[in-house]
Amino acid sequence: MASHENRLAKEASPYLLQHAKNPVDWYPWGPEALGRAVREDRPILLSIGYSACHWCHVMERESFENVETAKLMNELFVNVKVDREERPDLDQIYQLVVQLMGQNGGWPLTVFLTPEKKPFFGGTYFPPADRYGMPGFPKVLQAIAQAYRDRRGEVDLQATELTRAIASATALERSGEKAAADARAIHAVPAGARLAQAVTKLSARFDEHHGGFGTRPKFPNTMSVDLLLRHAALDDDVAARAHVAITLDAMRAGGIYDHLGGGFHRYSTDERWLVPHFEKMLYDNALLLRLYTDAHRALAEARYGDTARAIGQYVAREMTDGAGGFYATQDADSEGEEGKFFVWSKDEIKSALAADEPEEDGYDARTSSEATRLALAYFDVTDRGNFEESGKTVLHTPRPLETVAHDLGIAPDRAEKLLERVRTKLFEAREGRIKPFRDEKILAGWNGLLIGALADAAIALDDETMLGLAERAFAFVRARLVQEDGSVLRHIKGEIVKGPGFLDDHAYIANAAVDLYEATGEPGYMATARKIAASLLARFHDGGGQAQGEGGFFFSPSDGEELIHRAKDPYDQAIPSGQAMTCLLLLRLGSLVDPSYLEPAVAELERLAGPAAENPFGLGQTLIAADRLTRGTVDIVLVGKRGDPRTRALARETFRTYIPNRNVAWLDESDPSSREACAVLAEGKEAKGEGPVAYVCRGQTCSLPVSTAAELGALLRGA
């Protein structure tokens, strides 16, 4: 074997392939690297990142492509590179090292391990030389290697203590008495009280001027906004409703939103949502698609529905594989510069909107001048710009179109038409630029989030294209990533499939199957959801029982790789907690097909509801599931043939209404599989020869059957 051999070229991960030509002796995580560390008693340098990570690219250019730095790494360490999107279990464990050392986590993550995989030091980005108040990376490498060589006892002690701390950090330490009190309290607290308590905590950090929470950097915090929206609708909280509208409007007007191509960037570097970190993540857009759809229903504002449609169009155009699955990310950088694809100078706007010759629709030189004035004013494009003193502008819309049109003396109707033309021409011009890199991994869990959101949005917005996207993607995932035993693999890239999948992969895909069942009435989706749920319970559930402080769900499967800790992590990150989404899945299945699914979900929510009320920012999705359990559901049973236009009309009315804790069941009395898919709710329901009807049930009480959308809508709005 060559002394310096980069082993990443055969990997499927685009992130690992980006590092395949570094002069570093990189290994992927696996037996070869770990075995060498043990044989040679070398510390492991573990570097974790992802393809759309801007600072990962910076550290690569500064350090991993530097021959002298690479030489140090190769001489002193076994160097392992990990794509966090492939191995979230490793990232979950080793991120805690940095946080336990009093630093903020993030990527690139740089952690030093003993050959036994125990961490003893870590950080995130390290500069090539001393700056930003941080030591240079070469200095760090030498100091770590010297400590490992000369103070081994201290290193081993630190590694042991950090490993213990990791185990305790992911556990919710509560005395048996406190846990028992929490279990009793979840059923004793009045409906809505727990959400009200959470919203009070959220509101204390709410930015009244710009929306969202905190200052800079500012993330969408989708689960927190969802809590506000639910409380606003279910408990008629006017302040929470205003906070939702402020946030969604500010994000939609800000530079975090792509005003030409649709979709949202990862986060804003400022408190105003103006200048984003430009990467686009599939999961952000999935969560925001569902949130804007819900806001469209709850707040009756067309602009939220338009935003949801634009997200769907972006995903269809930019993030959809030819076989149907959805890609993971788009990079922040193009041509080595962050944001270059997305920002505009004043001259670039003028050039893109210049009309060289008259066109059939009358878009001539005069119109071009008017359109240019409108574009510059509406998108706030100035000579100075707003992006890094570059003279370039991140497009945003600080003023309503009506105000801009009035100031320019343009009639409102004409301004609308001009703006449509402006967006088209600017988008076409932008398409001529070199696009950011796209990570074409198809991740099971992230696809599940988007499939479910598309299915829900499709029928709410009466958009068959979205439904087609969702069904095609699910067919791909079911064929390539869902195994015969119901286990879910993690991802596919080209023809390379990797697994096993983690808790969130199983929970997200199974919930997506239920979403598709609710949107279409197709019993096969429910059968798939149940198959995955069975595998999830067999491989992730800790059935030890509450008396031993056990129960709950592990993040990694029982047949997965043995790491230094098998975590149960209830906390939301950028995506909802796998444990909370598992509880949601089991509550849904328990209400629809078999009450036996309920027990593990109820036990886990009894354990987590108390901590969730204390920490809604970290456990927002758990609060959502707990609210479903304690408040109860609104169950809509559609009785009739799925293909009957009258049944579809009832379904559309169902999905137009904002009902957070909802179950939808479809019963075709001539199809046994239809009854099996909703066995609990189907009991006692029939059309009685009257054609398609709908029942609305809450608790043990159901309405009389109704046969028109108007009657159903009245029942739902009163439910």
Side-chain angles (χ1 to χ4, degrees):
M1 182 184 294
S3 58
H4 304 312
E5 179 185 351
N6 188 322
R7 296 158 180 81
L8 301 183
K10 295 181 180 180
E11 292 297 307
S13 160
Y15 174 67
L16 298 188
L17 291 173
Q18 287 169 355
H19 292 267
K21 294 184 179 179
N22 297 162
V24 177
D25 187 7
W26 286 122
Y27 289 82
W29 180 274
E32 186 180 5
L34 300 174
R36 182 184 173 194
V38 170
R39 286 194 311 274
E40 300 181 10
D41 192 24
R42 282 194 183 211
I44 297 166
L45 191 165
L46 175 63
S47 176
I48 301 179
Y50 59 99
S51 67
C53 166
H54 171 68
W55 284 100
C56 298
H57 299 324
V58 172
M59 192 165 177
E60 179 188 19
R61 290 194 299 268
E62 293 176 341
S63 295
F64 303 148
E65 292 179 355
N66 182 288
V67 174
E68 292 303 315
T69 301
K71 183 178 179 183
L72 272 177
M73 294 172 66
N74 296 338
E75 289 175 354
L76 301 174
F77 301 95
V78 174
N79 303 294
V80 177
K81 179 60 79 171
V82 166
D83 182 341
R84 69 172 294 264
E85 294 164 2
E86 283 191 329
R87 294 298 303 266
D89 54 336
L90 293 171
D91 184 62
Q92 180 189 70
I93 290 171
Y94 293 116
Q95 278 288 344
L96 285 170
V97 175
V98 179
Q99 296 167 24
L100 290 167
M101 294 176 67
Q103 306 174 48
N104 292 324
W107 301 276
L109 179 67
T110 309
V111 182
F112 297 89
L113 318 178
T114 68
E116 295 75 33
K117 301 180 283 191
K118 294 181 178 180
F120 61 92
F121 185 77
T124 53
Y125 163 80
F126 288 101
D130 296 358
R131 65 175 185 234
Y132 311 133
M134 293 185 288
F137 194 49
K139 184 183 292 186
V140 170
L141 296 174
Q142 291 168 325
I144 293 295
Q146 183 178 8
Y148 187 82
R149 183 178 63 247
D150 298 339
R151 301 194 303 279
R152 183 63 178 274
E154 295 176 23
V155 167
D156 288 342
L157 179 61
Q158 171 89 338
T160 299
E161 291 178 346
L162 278 172
T163 301
R164 287 175 182 159
I166 287 170
S168 63
T170 58
L172 289 170
E173 299 293 344
R174 304 174 81 74
S175 68
E177 183 178 335
K178 176 62 173 169
D182 285 343
R184 292 192 298 271
I186 189 174
H187 303 290
V189 172
R194 188 171 287 105
L195 275 192
Q197 177 186 350
V199 167
T200 298
K201 289 179 177 290
L202 293 172
S203 297
R205 289 180 55 187
F206 188 77
D207 182 345
E208 298 283 352
H209 297 289
H210 307 294
F213 303 94
T215 55
R216 64 174 71 183
K218 186 171 279 186
F219 291 81
N221 285 316
T222 315
M223 283 70 79
S224 295
V225 181
D226 191 1
L227 283 172
L228 292 176
L229 182 62
R230 285 165 172 267
H231 182 58
L234 293 171
D235 303 307
D236 196 24
D237 188 309
V238 175
R241 184 178 290 109
H243 286 168
V244 171
I246 291 168
T247 301
L248 297 187
D249 288 343
M251 287 198 298
R252 176 61 174 79
I256 192 174
Y257 179 70
D258 182 352
H259 291 268
L260 302 182
F264 284 83
H265 300 292
R266 179 71 191 93
Y267 63 87
S268 175
T269 61
D270 55 73
E271 71 279 3
R272 296 183 293 153
W273 308 104
L274 175 58
V275 178
H277 195 39
F278 287 92
E279 75 235 49
K280 287 183 177 180
M281 316 297 289
L282 190 71
Y283 58 77
D284 282 321
N285 284 285
L287 295 170
L288 287 165
L289 170 59
R290 193 181 285 270
L291 180 60
Y292 274 92
T293 299
D294 281 342
H296 168 75
R297 292 189 278 218
L299 306 183
E301 294 289 353
R303 62 184 179 275
Y304 301 141
D306 292 342
T307 305
R309 288 187 188 90
I311 295 172
Q313 290 161 5
Y314 155 70
V315 168
R317 185 184 67 250
E318 298 288 347
M319 302 297 282
T320 304
D321 181 78
F326 301 120
Y327 299 136
T329 65
Q330 282 183 310
D331 210 333
D333 300 8
S334 56
E335 301 180 78
E337 296 181 28
E338 184 179 10
K340 184 173 182 179
F341 180 77
F342 296 100
V343 296
W344 294 80
S345 70
K346 202 170 183 179
D347 286 342
E348 286 170 337
I349 295 283
K350 291 177 179 178
S351 176
L353 296 178
D356 296 327
E357 57 187 56
E359 299 182 11
E360 290 182 6
D361 62 0
Y363 191 85
D364 54 19
R366 180 185 65 82
T367 304
S368 173
S369 174
E370 194 173 34
T372 300
R373 288 192 299 121
L374 181 67
L376 294 175
Y378 182 63
F379 291 120
D380 197 28
V381 181
T382 63
D383 290 320
R384 182 177 179 181
N386 60 24
F387 182 61
E388 296 183 346
E389 300 181 357
S390 63
K392 299 291 184 77
T393 294
V394 180
L395 302 186
H396 67 129
T397 57
R399 296 188 296 160
L401 179 61
E402 296 83 356
T403 303
V404 174
H406 178 270
D407 291 348
L408 296 177
I410 303 173
D413 289 348
R414 180 165 176 76
E416 289 278 0
K417 293 178 181 178
L418 281 174
L419 182 59
E420 183 178 349
R421 182 68 185 217
V422 162
R423 284 200 175 106
T424 298
K425 289 181 76 73
L426 292 182
F427 177 78
E428 290 172 351
R430 197 178 76 175
E431 285 293 281
R433 299 175 178 179
I434 295 175
K435 289 190 175 185
F437 175 79
R438 181 173 63 191
D439 187 329
E440 296 185 353
K441 287 196 308 296
I442 296 171
L443 292 153
W446 297 9
N447 271 250
L449 283 178
L450 184 59
I451 291 166
L454 285 167
D456 189 56
I459 194 163
L461 302 173
D462 201 14
D463 189 318
E464 288 296 322
T465 300
M466 281 195 196
L467 186 59
L469 281 172
E471 293 203 277
R472 187 163 175 258
F474 192 85
F476 173 84
V477 169
R478 182 163 53 188
R480 301 303 303 275
L481 294 176
V482 179
Q483 306 299 287
E484 279 300 314
D485 65 355
S487 62
V488 178
L489 300 174
R490 175 63 179 169
H491 74 88
I492 181 170
K493 171 68 167 61
E495 292 303 312
I496 299 176
V497 181
K498 288 195 175 182
F502 301 98
L503 181 65
D504 52 4
D505 295 306
H506 289 72
Y508 293 176
I509 288 292
N511 270 299
V514 179
D515 287 325
L516 277 168
Y517 164 74
E518 290 196 339
T520 68
E522 167 54 55
Y525 290 125
M526 186 60 73
T528 301
R530 297 187 69 184
K531 180 187 289 189
I532 296 171
S535 176
L536 184 158
L537 288 167
R539 298 165 69 238
F540 294 90
H541 184 226
D542 182 356
Q546 296 297 105
Q548 291 77 36
E550 297 173 346
F553 302 91
F554 292 107
F555 183 73
S556 299
S558 55
D559 54 352
E561 180 183 356
E562 185 176 349
L563 302 176
I564 61 170
H565 176 58
R566 191 179 178 207
K568 299 175 192 171
D569 186 1
Y571 294 98
D572 299 326
Q573 305 296 333
I575 54 179
S577 154
Q579 289 195 189
M581 291 296 284
T582 295
C583 291
L584 176 62
L585 169 68
L586 297 176
L587 292 179
R588 297 174 84 184
L589 294 178
S591 297
L592 284 162
V593 292
D594 186 345
S596 67
Y597 285 108
L598 297 173
E599 184 179 348
V602 172
E604 183 66 350
L605 290 172
E606 287 177 343
R607 187 175 77 92
L608 294 177
E614 296 167 9
N615 181 12
F617 286 99
L619 294 156
Q621 191 66 39
T622 297
L623 280 169
I624 289 168
D627 186 71
R628 185 184 186 95
L629 172 63
T630 57
R631 196 188 297 264
T633 57
V634 177
D635 305 322
I636 301 97
V637 184
L638 307 173
V639 185
K641 293 189 178 299
R642 288 189 293 123
D644 190 316
R646 295 170 295 175
T647 312
R648 301 302 303 175
L650 293 170
R652 282 195 297 273
E653 187 63 34
T654 298
F655 279 81
R656 283 195 187 107
T657 308
Y658 180 62
I659 310 171
N661 300 319
R662 176 200 70 202
N663 289 309
V664 179
W666 296 67
L667 175 60
D668 180 347
E669 295 171 286
S670 66
D671 181 0
S673 66
S674 172
R675 181 172 293 276
E676 184 180 354
C678 59
V680 173
L681 294 181
E683 188 174 348
K685 310 297 190 304
E686 57 183 352
K688 300 179 180 178
E690 301 170 2
V693 297
Y695 294 82
V696 177
C697 308
R698 186 165 191 135
Q700 303 302 312
T701 304
C702 292
S703 70
L704 293 172
V706 295
S707 58
T708 69
E711 291 174 305
L712 178 57
L715 279 176
L716 293 174
R717 285 187 289 275

